[in-house]
Amino acid sequence: MASSSSSTETGVVAERRGIPGAQFVEDVQTYLNQSGLDVNSALAFLQESNDVPVPVLLDRLQQYKVVEMKLLAQQRDLQAKIPDIEKCLDVVATLQAKKGTGEALITDFEVSEGIYSRARIEDTDSVCLWLGANVMLEYSCEEATALLQKNLDNAKASLEVLVADLQFLRDQVTITQVTIARVYNWDVHQRRVRQAAGVAIES
């Protein structure tokens, strides 16, 4: 379901589900010599092994942040959805357990936000489920259980994939931030070396 991510010799990590991998520059000097870029260009462009320029480092970092916000929103939705599905499964199971006992089920249900009403439920063979977009369908208890369980399994699987995506994304953010810092630090070091050399020549 999710593509694997592995490092290549060039330091480029394979993408995962559309999330591009970050390239780690281990030796800034070697990278600049091989790519023919100066420091400003290096911050502007990181080139993959096929010499096709990818978005600027800082823009790539911003893209990662945008994707992270979207994934976190999806994660929150699923984390809220899963308990709702489990609650619905419990309700259907309770109705099935009461069936044939001759005992009515007394329950409170939400009419609207913050407003509840009490209901008396006799033996029933069916329930109504909201499917979204103001659509409700009636199912037998067995069909409802099967549908809800399927939705629950899918939601849990999706959440697991999202968690893995977020971890991969955070790894790429870290790699990009470290790479930016290494390029900046290398540039600062080179400026100091040149400045020291200039002072030595003048003296």
Side-chain angles (χ1 to χ4, degrees):
M1 190 169 183
S3 61
S4 60
S5 56
S6 59
S7 298
T8 65
E9 293 181 358
T10 59
V12 180
V13 183
E15 70 171 26
R16 173 188 172 88
R17 283 168 36 90
I19 303 173
Q23 178 181 356
F24 177 70
V25 176
E26 179 132 3
D27 188 322
V28 177
Q29 181 66 66
T30 300
Y31 168 73
L32 293 177
N33 291 340
Q34 290 177 347
S35 60
L37 299 174
D38 56 24
V39 173
N40 292 331
S41 298
L43 290 172
F45 295 101
L46 267 182
Q47 293 182 318
E48 298 180 358
S49 57
N50 58 3
D51 293 330
V52 177
V54 299
V56 298
L57 273 175
L58 297 177
D59 284 350
R60 173 58 61 85
L61 188 60
Q62 185 61 35
Q63 289 172 5
Y64 284 144
K65 293 296 185 181
V66 171
V67 173
E68 183 179 27
M69 289 176 61
K70 292 179 179 178
L71 291 180
L72 286 173
Q74 293 176 25
Q75 185 184 41
R76 286 192 297 270
D77 290 343
L78 283 173
Q79 288 173 335
K81 181 179 181 181
I82 289 174
D84 287 342
I85 298 175
E86 291 174 336
K87 188 184 300 182
C88 289
L89 277 169
D90 289 341
V91 170
V92 176
T94 301
L95 290 173
Q96 287 180 301
K98 290 287 185 180
K99 184 179 177 182
T101 63
E103 181 183 351
L105 176 64
I106 306 299
T107 183
D108 295 329
F109 66 96
E110 190 174 15
V111 179
S112 63
E113 187 174 355
I115 300 176
Y116 291 83
S117 180
R118 180 155 293 181
R120 178 185 177 88
I121 304 174
E122 304 292 345
D123 280 358
T124 181
D125 295 321
S126 63
V127 294
C128 293
L129 298 180
W130 284 106
L131 301 182
N134 294 324
V135 176
M136 176 183 281
L137 287 180
E138 184 176 4
Y139 293 89
S140 68
C141 290
E142 292 76 14
E143 290 173 335
T145 299
L147 177 61
L148 289 169
Q149 188 61 55
K150 178 182 177 182
N151 290 345
L152 180 61
D153 293 341
N154 289 340
K156 287 182 176 180
S158 297
L159 183 58
E160 288 181 4
V161 172
L162 271 177
V163 170
D165 287 347
L166 280 167
Q167 183 58 55
F168 174 80
L169 183 61
R170 286 164 182 157
D171 289 343
Q172 306 321 300
V173 169
T174 300
I175 291 172
T176 304
Q177 289 173 332
V178 170
T179 299
I180 290 173
R182 288 176 65 84
V183 174
Y184 272 125
N185 291 340
W186 181 88
D187 183 46
V188 170
H189 175 71
Q190 293 302 310
R191 289 174 187 273
R192 288 176 179 173
V193 170
R194 288 195 298 269
Q195 184 178 11
V199 171
I201 293 174
E202 290 177 0
S203 60

